[in-house]
Amino acid sequence: MSSSAATPHRANRLAQSTSPYLLQHAHNPVDWHPWGAEALQLAREQNKPIFLSIGYSACHWCHVMERESFEHEGIARLMNEYFVNIKVDREERPDLDEIYMKAVQAISGSGGWPMSVWLTPDLRPFFGGTYFPPAPRYGKPSFPQLVQWIGETWRRDPDKLHKQGADLTSHIAKEEAVDTRGEISKQALDQSLAMLAANYDPSYGGFGGAPKFPHAMDIRILLRHHRRLGAAQPLGMATHTLERMARGGIYDHLAGGFHRYSTDERWLIPHFEKMLYDNALLVPAYVEAWLVTREPLFRTVASECCDWVLAEMVTAQGAFASTLDADTEGEEGRYYVWTPEQLSQALPGRAGAWAQEWWGVTPTGNFEHGTSALWRDEEEADVAKRLGTDVETLRSEMEGARRRLLALRATRVPPGKDDKVLVAWNGLMI
């Protein structure tokens, strides 16, 4: 496969969009269409399958797949030859995202973004997945291999793919036919607690292994189980999870607010995008935990999350923007990470050395290129003892350091902001 184009490609149909995500792809050599009557009619008239790519503007792996495949002249030529290519912003069209995510989960057993789905011209999904690499790796076929195989299969034996689409559509319809009306029984509630306990990580909190998502609603359910039963177990699972998240790199220790999810089980290294609705769901979880325990950390985190939203996510019209990107200057997390040298240069006297201990910034780093995501893995008393000071002095010094580092970070190239206003996400945050 030849290398990708070195010069920008002429604008495609997405250049007329208002979505920041679609505009990111407006100069790809792929002949992208927005979802609409024109593209769907074209697929029917030309009897071509549809390649549907769904993502959002702050999605790191969406950016990776764009650089590797959608900006690649050779891969784009194959896509344009075989398919009608449609790009969708999941935040603009959550209805389409939900429909085709079910298909991808049924096909692959998991879902995520970028979402890659192939449809018949009558919109039945017959194959799909998430990120596909430009060459075979991670146990996945390469994206160009898939494009060629699906395209040639459609030309030789379209009935085979039509049948796959019909079978998959029927399977999804049966799953959706379950009747969920009626009272929630005590047995169902007990089963829900048992399932949460079975998936709970007693070492680091949260549910399951890596990648690990916050699961704010599950935490709030645990608090209600505690209220219902008066039992310590659900409260312990909820508070341990909230504490570990607040100490982890998934939390922005300078400005407040949570990143999307953790790539590891310890909450250390996140995917660095920050999304309005994640924080809108986590704020009440921390508030409710504070109401139950009066633990100051929970109140502080809830307040800092709101401060971040009000400082960085309010649009010119007074509503809330959707997301901040994971990448800056082509690198994920670059805006947020630090080295010991940067801390020493930014903070005078002992503060630089103390900050390295406080936030776990080491010469080898915990992220890429020797940099570190800030986190608080150790207890305050242990750090203070190692530094030969008391907790109150250390806290005071580090609060000053936080303010100085936040001001310095503001001089870096900021992550892109998707200023699209989503009513549902605004409602959650309000």
Side-chain angles (χ1 to χ4, degrees):
M1 192 70 69
S2 62
S3 63
S4 60
T7 56
H9 197 270
R10 64 180 178 81
N12 57 44
R13 293 172 181 83
L14 302 184
Q16 305 303 314
S17 303
T18 57
S19 158
Y21 175 64
L22 299 191
L23 290 172
Q24 287 172 356
H25 295 264
H27 290 273
N28 296 165
V30 178
D31 186 17
W32 289 118
H33 296 252
W35 182 277
E38 179 185 340
L40 304 184
Q41 180 65 25
L42 185 66
R44 290 191 292 269
E45 289 176 353
Q46 297 186 356
N47 192 32
K48 277 187 172 183
I50 292 167
F51 173 65
L52 176 63
S53 177
I54 301 180
Y56 57 100
S57 68
C59 167
H60 170 69
W61 285 103
C62 299
H63 302 330
V64 172
M65 193 165 177
E66 180 188 18
R67 288 195 297 268
E68 292 177 340
S69 294
F70 303 150
E71 292 181 350
H72 194 293
E73 292 280 0
I75 295 174
R77 275 196 300 272
L78 288 175
M79 295 171 66
N80 296 339
E81 177 185 351
Y82 288 120
F83 312 127
V84 172
N85 300 289
I86 298 179
K87 178 65 76 172
V88 166
D89 183 338
R90 69 171 286 250
E91 296 166 358
E92 206 169 51
R93 292 300 304 269
D95 54 336
L96 296 174
D97 182 62
E98 181 179 7
I99 290 167
Y100 292 111
M101 181 62 78
K102 289 175 182 174
V104 168
Q105 289 171 332
I107 292 165
S108 65
S110 62
W113 300 276
M115 194 197 311
S116 305
V117 198
W118 283 265
L119 320 174
T120 62
D122 60 354
L123 306 185
R124 294 177 184 267
F126 60 83
F127 189 78
T130 53
Y131 163 81
F132 290 105
R137 61 175 183 261
Y138 312 132
K140 293 176 177 281
S142 77
F143 184 65
Q145 284 176 331
L146 274 176
V147 167
Q148 195 139 23
W149 177 80
I150 292 170
E152 288 300 322
T153 301
W154 180 265
R155 290 178 175 179
R156 290 193 318 268
D157 190 4
D159 290 344
K160 175 182 179 180
L161 299 182
H162 272 294
K163 184 178 185 305
Q164 283 183 205
D167 291 346
L168 181 59
T169 303
S170 175
H171 170 76
I172 294 170
K174 287 178 182 176
E175 284 195 339
E176 292 184 337
V178 176
D179 187 353
T180 57
R181 293 173 295 179
E183 295 293 322
I184 300 177
S185 67
K186 179 181 181 301
Q187 181 183 14
L189 291 171
D190 290 341
Q191 286 176 341
S192 76
L193 177 57
M195 290 176 68
L196 290 170
N199 286 293
Y200 174 68
D201 178 354
S203 297
Y204 301 105
F207 306 94
K212 188 176 278 185
F213 286 79
H215 288 266
M217 297 306 292
D218 287 340
I219 293 168
R220 296 178 71 186
I221 288 171
L222 286 173
L223 294 173
R224 281 150 181 78
H225 281 305
H226 167 69
R227 178 75 173 267
R228 178 175 70 95
L229 301 171
Q233 180 204 25
L235 179 62
M237 289 192 286
T239 56
H240 181 222
T241 300
L242 293 170
E243 180 182 356
R244 292 299 306 193
M245 286 196 304
R247 292 182 174 278
I250 192 175
Y251 187 64
D252 183 347
H253 290 269
L254 300 185
F258 285 90
H259 299 291
R260 180 81 176 104
Y261 66 89
S262 176
T263 62
D264 59 87
E265 73 281 359
R266 297 185 295 166
W267 306 108
L268 172 54
I269 301 300
H271 264 318
F272 284 89
E273 61 260 46
K274 293 172 83 172
M275 306 186 76
L276 182 70
Y277 84 94
D278 287 328
N279 287 278
L281 292 172
L282 283 164
V283 166
Y286 276 90
V287 169
E288 289 174 359
W290 175 74
L291 289 170
V292 174
T293 66
R294 298 293 163 168
E295 167 56 52
L297 173 65
F298 300 151
R299 177 177 178 171
T300 297
V301 169
S303 179
E304 288 178 351
C305 286
C306 292
D307 289 342
W308 164 70
V309 167
L310 292 171
E312 297 190 32
M313 299 298 283
V314 177
T315 68
Q317 295 76 28
F320 294 120
S322 296
T323 58
L324 294 182
D325 207 328
D327 295 17
T328 310
E329 299 179 280
E331 292 183 26
E332 186 182 11
R334 179 171 180 151
Y335 182 73
Y336 297 100
V337 295
W338 299 84
T339 64
E341 293 75 20
Q342 288 172 330
L343 294 183
S344 295
Q345 291 170 8
L347 302 170
R350 65 188 183 185
W354 283 18
Q356 293 171 47
E357 298 288 334
W358 182 254
W359 282 303
V361 177
T362 65
T364 55
N366 58 38
F367 188 49
E368 298 171 350
H369 315 303
T371 62
S372 291
L374 304 185
W375 73 321
R376 299 273 312 284
D377 191 40
E378 291 187 88
E379 294 293 334
E380 294 176 353
D382 294 335
V383 178
K385 182 177 180 181
R386 188 165 65 251
L387 294 173
T389 188
D390 60 87
V391 169
E392 287 306 315
T393 300
L394 179 60
R395 279 181 186 163
S396 176
E397 187 87 43
M398 291 302 95
E399 176 54 26
R402 183 192 69 80
R403 290 194 296 269
R404 285 193 291 273
L405 293 176
L406 183 60
L408 179 60
R409 193 177 78 177
T411 66
R412 296 176 175 179
V413 175
K417 182 183 298 183
D418 187 332
D419 60 1
K420 180 166 65 275
V421 174
L422 299 174
V423 172
W425 293 11
N426 270 252
L428 287 172
M429 194 68 235
I430 291 166

